Structure formats: structure tokens, C-alpha cells
Amino acid sequence: MAEIELLKHESRVFSPSTAWAQSANIAGMDAYRALCTRAQDDYTGFWAKLARENVSWQQSFSHVLDESNAPFYRWFEDGTLNASYNCLDRHIENGHGERVAIIFEADDGNVRKVTYRQLHQTVCKLANGLKSVGVKKGDRVIIYMPMGIQGVAAMQACARIGAIHSVVFGGFSAKSLHERIVDTGAVAIITADEQIRGGKTLPLKAIVDEALALPGCDSVQQVIVHKRTGNAISFNPKQDLWMEELITPQSKTCEPEWVSAEHPLFILYTSGSTGKPKGVQHACGGYLLWAMLTMQWTFDIQPAKDVFYCTADIGWITGHTYVAYGPLAMGATQIIFEGVPTYPDAGRFWDIIQKHQVSIFYTAPTAIRALIKASAINDQVHPKQYDLSSLRLLGSVGEPINPEAWMWYYQQVGQQRCPIVDTFWQTETGGHVIAPMPGATSLVPGSCTLPLPGIMTAIVDESGHPVPAGQGGLLVIKRPWPSMIRTIWGDPERFKKSYFPAELGGNVYLAGDGAICDKDSGYYTITGRIDDVLNVSGHRMGTMEIESALVAHPLVAEAAVVGKPDDVTGEAICAFVVLKRNHPTGQEATQIAVELRNWVSKEIGPIAKPKEIRFGDNLPKTRSGKIMRRLLRILSRGEQITQDISTLENPAILEQLKQVA
Ligand code: WT7
């Protein structure tokens, strides 16, 4: 194959087996290139055809792409559809109602399966229930739920009635939840009494109560509570309703609300470079189309045969596109797991794959690295102890996968039989944008390979000029695509500034990542964020958000947060803190560090807890008062500062900041 020739300078290239190259949805490089050429030659025609073939429209669209108000692009706008109809009803109409939609495995190992017909019924009843308490088309509904069938049903029920859901990850604090309730102006919250993870129960409803006690939540009319554990919780009969009681009397059918393709499907908050998370808004039609296409192209989904398992929580975009929408829109069978990969032991994923005959497995590099470590310590949890012969494809997402982890995943989990799709994308892109197609693309560990057909990527410098291949630059997407972010909820100016900056001409999408394109193969390697955004265990965290949380503590005067490379989590949060008094040392420093860590956990959520805290009487600053983060990064790594620090206002504090509290 030509690719192998082109990539010969790379030491390890894995080209598709003959079986893959012959039977995949996209079989061979020629098939990939044909799609790319079609997109190149007739961009709107390319998308229109795919949209007609894949999405079930109530009323077909006549116009494909409206660029008149760029960068607020509109796709298939006069077409009407319903995402929930596409995910449920049409499979029943096609005779697949008895196919299992979800295999739910609880934290304790209990299994429950629901068919498409059963899921449809649950969704219809919940949709009717939402309507009965006054939730209407366009209303925002916050979903704060554990991983489970009800969480997905809640998302689908909102989609069914045209309400806009905003899922908040169950690990976020009351304050983070509150921020999202206020920003969306939500009319209802769907939650559970508690969640169970790793054998422990954790509150959800109590956190909702705490959030609602903060000012500004007057929009919320109803809190719908799914009974997960049945333990006692506080219940306010004026506002709270048990989900099970709400849905029991409801009708089993609910006519879908037919909405414009541009009607918002959901808002999902993600971190940016300011302290305030951004409400990324996606639209029904384009998003659903891309969820379906990437299920076919990247995951090669065979709905009647595959058991698909994406380990992401519904609180993240991966859990939206590849749990709540993509697999269902394809009519596939998928696993939803309530718990954590290390409980009851670190063999849990392998056990789930073996037990349910998973054929496609999609997880994050941080999980793989953690499981590599665990199986080096305890051989009993090593993948070789399990029968993983059902696997045919593996996927990776969330951060660059280091070649060592790639090789282990390939050899130990995939037994050298399964291609690995390293999928690059973002909350804002709605689905994969740069990723291999397993029947076409040769794989190179550490590279997410080539843009998917229709995605016009490029690498440019800071003024928007293309950089030569082999040279690093900013990753951009030059043309709009159907599943792109539509706006930032309530802040269109920030949307324009963040993603279509004037410096780049105002008409290309800036991803926020650095990348390099190989000059022979055209393969992309992502080099990491170019803004003040960290990637901790595949979760996006803004340094400013953590800094704001720290300075909100009464003892803290100033804080700066940087990412430090970490073997397991990719990056770890390292905070440099100046107190309103002299810097503490010894035991006192340790105590205050513990307090600050818990504080951040309370302010944002446990995922934002700094791993390391260092105290000083000041931060390294230039004479104009700018914090020199570059120096902080060097200090966090424990490296020697070799560069000139003569421009530094206060070199003496560098010594203090070497101490970890
Ligand atoms: C950021 C987006 C995409 C769903 C999960 C995260 C990083 C994501 C990869 C990858 C290198 C990756 C980027 C991106 N990222 N996937 N395969 N290789 N980096 O979504 O929270 O919106 O974060 O994750 O830095 O910008 P997100």
C-alpha cells in the first residue's frame, strides 16, 4: 500500500488486515479518498446526500448550508426531525424493536437489559411526564444523574419534546451545578437520590438542594428524582417529584416534537481560558448526522452484530455522542456501566468485555495507563486473564495516547488483532474530526492520522498563514461542518472571539490545540492545548477556573495553576499559592494545602483538586507584573532554571516555590 511507503521512516506502522480492508464500512484508502474528493468537489452536495441517506426527516430540507451570518452557520435549517425518533422509533418501525439497546451493568455487577421497544416506552413516559409538569419546547432541563438507563432516557425524553438538556457530570460540586442552572435558566432538574460508584454511595439530590439554596435559581419549577438507592433524602413536596411516580400513570406513546434541524439539542459546559465555563450549544440535525457517520466510519459499527462499549460518562461530550445518541441512532447494542474501572478490582473493564462479548471498546489513555500500572502490580487483573476474543476494534479519546500505552493496548487488550482508532475531537466539534478509519487507514501509534471526509483541517501560524508540513502550528478547520458548535449559550461574542478569532481572518475554526502534519503521510499529531486549558485524565480544566476557586478562599491572596506531566493522568494540577500572610512551611503548609485541596473540590469538584500545592511570598513576575508561567512550569517539573531571569522582579521567591507542601 502506498501509505506504508510514505510512512517508511516511521518505525511502526500497522496497516489494515485484508479482512478489514475488504469488509469495513469504509473499505480501503480508495474509498476514503473518494469520499474526500466528493467533499472537495461539491461540499454541500456531499453533506446533503449523507444527510438524506442517514437521518430520518419529518420534512426534508431544501437548503443545505446557510453562511449568511457566519460564523453562525446553519445546516439543513428548513428540514424538520426529532433526534429521539431517529434513535428509537425508526428501529422499531424497521423491525428491530426486540434488539437490546442497552446492557446496563450496575456497580455491584447486576445486569439489566432493555430492548429498543422498552427504552422507547420509558422515554415516551418520561417525555409525557415532563410535559405534564409544564416543560415545553425550548425549555432547558439540567440532568444531574448517575450512569444508567434513566440518565440516557432523560436526555432522550428532552430531545423528544424539544427541550434542551444540559447534563452536568455527577462529580461536579453544588457551586458548579448552580452556575449551570443559572446560566441556562433551567425550568427543571432531573437527578437521582444518590449514585453508587466503587461500592460507595454518593449524594446527588443533596447537592441539588445545596445548589438550589444559592441565589438565582428561581427559574427551576421542578426537581425530578430517580430512586437509585432508596436511602433517605430530604424531599420538598412543593418542588420534588419521584421520577417513578411521575411516569407510572403516563401513556406509553408520545408524539415526537418535530423541530428544525437548527433547534438546539443540548448545551454542554466545557472549560475555556477564562474562569467561566462555556455552554457549548449543539443543533439537532447536524449533530445527529455526524454522530451516525462517525459511528459508521470510525467505529465501523455493524448494528446487528456489534456490542459497543464506550466508557465515558454522559456528563461529557463523549457520553453524549457515543453513548446517548450515536449507538442508539445506529440501532446498535451498547454497554452502560455504572461504576469505576478499579472496583471490585482493576480487571473490571476486561470482565465486562468478557461477560457481554463486547466487540468495540472505546476508552481514554488515562484509564489504559492506570490499568497498565494496576496489572503490573497484580497479575490477576491483567487482560490476559480474561477471554477478550470478542473484541474487534479499540478506540482512544480525550488526550494524545503515548506510544507505550498504545502498544500495550494493542498487544495485551487487542491481542494484535484489533485496530486502534485514536480519535481527536472536542466538545465543540460534536464528534470525531481527525481519526483513522479501521478498514482504510494505516495506524501509527501516537497519531490520530487523517481528517475524516468533509473535515477541512489545516495547520496555520498565529496570523492564519499555513505552515509547511512537518512544522508545528495551530490546528484549524477551514470550512463549517454539520456537527460544529453553534454558539456559546448566552454569549455569541465569546463564541466568535474564541473560535473564529479576527487574527486568523474570522472565518476558520480555531480548535485550541497545537498540531503537526507529517510531510510525507499527511498524518496529524496533536501536541496539546495552546491556551490555558489543562487536560487531566482526559477532562478539560481551565487554569483560571482553579485559580478563581483558590483565591475565593479567605486565606489566599494570589494563585497560579500550571499543568505538570503525569504518568497516569497525562497532566496533573500544580498550584502556586500566595497567602495573605507569610508563606507557611512544614506541617502548617501541609495542613493548609489539605484545606485548599478540599476547598477546590467543594468549589468545582474532586476532578479539579490540585495534586501539588506550593507556597511562596509572591509569584515570579516580570517588572510589569505579569506572572511568568513558563518558570512555574519548569519549577513544577523539578527542573533547573537555566534561562536568564534578570527581567524577573523578585528572583528570590523561586527558592520558596521549589518546596512542595
Ligand atoms: C480536548 C477536547 C473529545 C472528547 C473528549 C474530550 C484533547 C481529545 C484527543 C486525541 C489528542 C485529544 C484536545 C482537545 N483531545 N482527543 N485523540 N488526541 N488530544 O473533549 O473535554 O472537549 O476536550 O481534548 O486537547 O482540544 P473535551
Side-chain angles (χ1 to χ4, degrees):
M1 244 178 156
E3 279 64 45
I4 301 175
E5 198 52 38
L6 293 173
L7 286 163
K8 63 175 179 286
H9 65 285
E10 295 279 354
S11 52
R12 288 180 284 207
V13 177
F14 300 80
S15 42
S17 67
T18 318
W20 267 99
Q22 281 171 356
S23 59
N25 284 332
I26 304 297
M29 251 349 233
D30 290 345
Y32 166 73
R33 283 201 203 92
L35 282 168
C36 294
T37 308
R38 242 199 286 153
Q40 199 63 257
D41 294 349
D42 174 13
Y43 197 64
T44 54
F46 166 82
W47 288 114
K49 181 166 185 285
L50 292 167
R52 293 211 162 87
E53 287 168 356
N54 285 278
V55 174
S56 298
W57 299 91
Q58 166 73 0
Q59 186 188 301
S60 188
F61 54 89
S62 62
H63 198 64
V64 183
L65 169 62
D66 178 356
E67 304 192 66
S68 61
N69 192 25
F72 300 92
Y73 299 99
R74 309 177 80 80
W75 286 90
F76 320 118
E77 192 173 10
D78 64 350
T80 63
L81 78 160
N82 182 281
S84 157
Y85 172 86
N86 274 269
C87 291
L88 302 167
D89 306 53
R90 65 168 167 172
H91 307 311
I92 299 171
E93 289 165 18
N94 291 337
H96 304 310
E98 307 322 312
R99 185 179 293 162
V100 173
I102 297 173
I103 302 172
F104 171 68
E105 179 158 323
D107 191 65
D108 65 6
N110 269 319
V111 172
R112 197 183 140 206
K113 297 183 184 183
V114 295
T115 62
Y116 273 91
R117 191 179 307 285
Q118 291 165 330
L119 184 61
H120 175 262
Q121 210 179 90
T122 306
V123 168
C124 286
K125 285 185 155 220
L126 184 52
N128 286 328
L130 288 171
K131 286 206 272 193
S132 77
V133 297
V135 180
K136 298 182 305 295
K137 175 181 171 187
D139 284 347
R140 277 79 59 207
V141 175
I142 293 274
I143 297 177
Y144 189 61
M145 297 275 276
M147 274 305 277
I149 294 163
Q150 292 77 14
V152 171
M155 295 165 80
Q156 288 283 339
C158 288
R160 195 158 190 96
I161 64 172
I164 305 165
H165 60 68
S166 186
V167 184
V168 179
F169 173 59
F172 275 120
S173 68
K175 276 200 106 170
S176 298
L177 177 61
H178 172 257
E179 199 174 358
R180 288 152 174 78
I181 294 169
V182 174
D183 198 66
T184 55
V187 302
I189 300 176
I190 307 179
T191 187
D193 48 2
E194 296 179 307
Q195 55 179 334
I196 314 175
R197 288 165 66 83
K200 290 193 269 263
T201 57
L202 300 156
L204 284 175
K205 173 60 166 57
I207 297 173
V208 171
D209 290 345
E210 206 184 319
L212 289 177
L214 298 169
C217 299
D218 305 338
S219 59
V220 178
Q221 306 286 315
Q222 219 78 58
V223 178
I224 299 164
V225 189
H226 159 54
K227 193 176 276 185
R228 175 63 189 98
T229 64
N231 291 332
I233 52 160
S234 82
F235 207 81
N236 165 10
K238 281 211 204 90
Q239 195 169 50
D240 302 342
L241 263 171
W242 287 108
M243 181 189 280
E244 288 68 21
E245 286 173 20
L246 173 70
I247 69 179
T248 304
Q250 304 295 334
S251 156
K252 290 189 289 199
T253 58
C254 172
E255 173 69 9
E257 180 81 35
W258 304 107
V259 297
S260 156
E262 276 300 314
H263 184 69
L265 179 60
F266 63 84
I267 301 164
L268 181 62
Y269 286 82
T270 190
S271 295
S273 43
T274 75
K276 192 175 183 290
K278 309 185 265 199
V280 173
Q281 181 182 319
H282 278 287
C284 292
Y287 173 81
L288 191 75
L289 171 63
W290 197 233
M292 292 187 67
L293 290 174
T294 50
M295 284 299 299
Q296 295 167 66
W297 292 352
T298 315
F299 290 132
D300 189 55
I301 192 80
Q302 317 280 343
K305 290 191 231 151
D306 278 316
V307 177
F308 182 80
Y309 178 22
C310 164
T311 67
D313 192 282
I314 54 167
W316 311 111
I317 189 68
T318 310
H320 280 59
T321 313
Y322 302 110
V323 178
Y325 289 104
L328 296 178
M330 292 308 299
T333 297
Q334 70 172 318
I335 307 286
I336 292 183
F337 170 48
E338 182 177 42
V340 297
T342 48
Y343 178 83
D345 61 38
R348 188 69 186 262
F349 280 169
W350 323 135
D351 184 58
I352 291 174
I353 293 169
Q354 169 178 285
K355 185 148 103 194
H356 304 294
Q357 300 282 293
V358 170
S359 55
I360 304 175
F361 179 64
Y362 189 36
T363 197
T366 184
I368 298 164
R369 289 192 298 263
L371 299 177
I372 293 175
K373 257 197 167 167
S375 64
I377 296 165
N378 174 8
D379 199 47
Q380 285 316 298
V381 300
H382 193 281
K384 69 178 179 225
Q385 309 287 0
Y386 299 80
D387 177 3
L388 305 182
S389 57
S390 58
L391 287 172
R392 68 181 190 97
L393 180 63
L394 302 173
S396 168
V397 62
E399 54 178 315
I401 178 165
N402 49 308
E404 301 71 30
W406 197 103
M407 285 309 296
W408 188 88
Y409 198 24
Y410 184 74
Q411 287 170 334
Q412 307 303 327
V413 182
Q415 297 158 338
Q416 313 202 43
R417 178 184 70 244
C418 307
I420 299 175
V421 288
D422 174 359
T423 60
F424 169 82
W425 59 298
Q426 309 175 298
T427 304
E428 294 86 345
T429 68
H432 309 149
V433 286
I434 307 180
M437 297 181 155
T441 325
S442 294
L443 307 171
V444 175
S447 169
C448 50
T449 75
L450 299 168
L452 290 173
I455 306 294
M456 307 299 188
T457 51
I459 300 179
V460 301
D461 65 19
E462 279 174 6
S463 45
H465 300 114
V467 302
Q471 219 167 293
L474 313 175
L475 178 66
V476 297
I477 305 179
K478 294 182 292 180
R479 297 282 286 132
W481 68 104
S483 69
M484 69 191 296
I485 174 177
R486 292 304 191 267
T487 189
I488 293 174
W489 179 259
D491 201 348
E493 276 311 307
R494 189 175 179 194
F495 165 76
K496 274 208 263 190
K497 279 223 313 255
S498 313
Y499 303 113
F500 294 89
E503 303 81 68
L504 301 184
N507 58 0
V508 297
Y509 171 82
L510 175 69
D513 282 287
I516 301 180
C517 187
D518 182 79
K519 73 176 179 325
D520 299 320
S521 61
Y523 275 28
Y524 283 76
T525 299
I526 305 298
T527 53
R529 298 289 305 191
I530 51 157
D531 49 9
D532 293 324
V533 170
L534 305 182
N535 190 326
V536 182
S537 295
H539 299 319
R540 220 160 120 175
M541 301 292 329
T543 54
M544 286 264 286
E545 267 174 87
I546 307 167
E547 289 163 8
S548 317
L550 283 166
V551 296
H553 189 281
L555 282 178
V556 176
E558 202 178 5
V561 165
V562 299
K564 168 184 175 169
D566 186 279
D567 279 355
V568 174
T569 59
E571 269 185 303
I573 299 166
C574 181
F576 294 84
V577 176
V578 181
L579 299 183
K580 290 176 182 160
R581 36 154 285 193
N582 287 350
H583 77 280
T585 53
Q587 243 200 320
E588 198 195 5
T590 316
Q591 268 165 19
I592 301 178
V594 169
E595 186 176 328
L596 292 182
R597 248 183 232 120
N598 292 337
W599 174 268
V600 174
S601 181
K602 234 13 218 151
E603 288 282 303
I604 306 176
I607 50 170
K609 258 191 192 185
K611 180 162 183 192
E612 236 177 70
I613 294 188
R614 303 177 184 213
F615 295 104
D617 292 324
N618 205 338
L619 298 171
K621 287 178 190 154
T622 61
R623 291 208 168 81
S624 60
K626 201 165 139 24
I627 298 171
M628 295 182 72
R629 284 171 190 277
R630 210 161 21 92
L631 290 181
L632 294 177
R633 277 187 211 106
I634 296 171
L635 287 174
S636 78
R637 295 186 165 120
E639 290 163 7
Q640 285 303 318
I641 296 175
T642 51
Q643 75 217 79
D644 181 19
I645 50 168
S646 59
T647 56
L648 204 61
E649 159 92 36
N650 46 4
I653 53 95
L654 293 179
E655 271 316 303
Q656 294 171 1
L657 295 172
K658 284 184 184 164
Q659 291 295 325
V660 179

